[in-house]
Amino acid sequence: ADPTRGMAQLRDLERAVELGFVGVHAYPHWFRLPPDAPRWYPIYAKCCELDLPFMLQVGQNLIYQQEVRLPSVARPILLDQVAIDFPDLTLIGIHVGTPWFDEMIAMAWKHERVFIGIDAYAPKHLPPSLVRYMDSYGSHKVLFGTDWPVIHPERAVAEVAALGLRPPSHARVMRDNALAVF
């Protein structure tokens, strides 16, 4: 999603649904616009209308190119107002929320339609609080991902298995939650 494209972006979302797309993806850092910026709101409204989950990077933005240094604009707590303003919108905070893991957990716990995507970071490095959440009261709120080619899928699957989640939690995180969301 590109919040600078106005109505063209909204028409593209309608066309994407016709083509079989099942979700919307965005990096707020690329636009230097936090998730609660008004320019995102038409896209959120269209996602509600089309029943499309909205995945967006939360947490810090890394330096991917020395000549392109973008600020980190998407702390997980900024999903709070979005979830309040759009209670029918499914939000997936991807890339774990690093380094604000506990904020991301709080948003997923508080809001029925806010989820956590555990991608872009090796599962063996997930913080203990997030692993506990995944294996207990938050097992229905976490979705597996790799952000391939950042993390190879085979590696990620093996590392999640090594976390020792209970079988029902493991099944939810690895498959069931994604099926329910998408």
Side-chain angles (χ1 to χ4, degrees), residues 91-103:
L91 292 165
I92 306 159
I94 60 171
H95 300 1
V96 187
T98 301
W100 302 287
F101 310 109
D102 292 332
E103 273 187 19

Side-chain angles (χ1 to χ4, degrees), residues 71-91:
S72 298
V73 299
R75 281 190 70 157
I77 196 71
L78 297 176
L79 299 179
D80 196 30
Q81 190 64 53
V82 176
I84 290 166
D85 291 342
F86 295 93
D88 295 331
L89 177 63
T90 298
L91 292 165

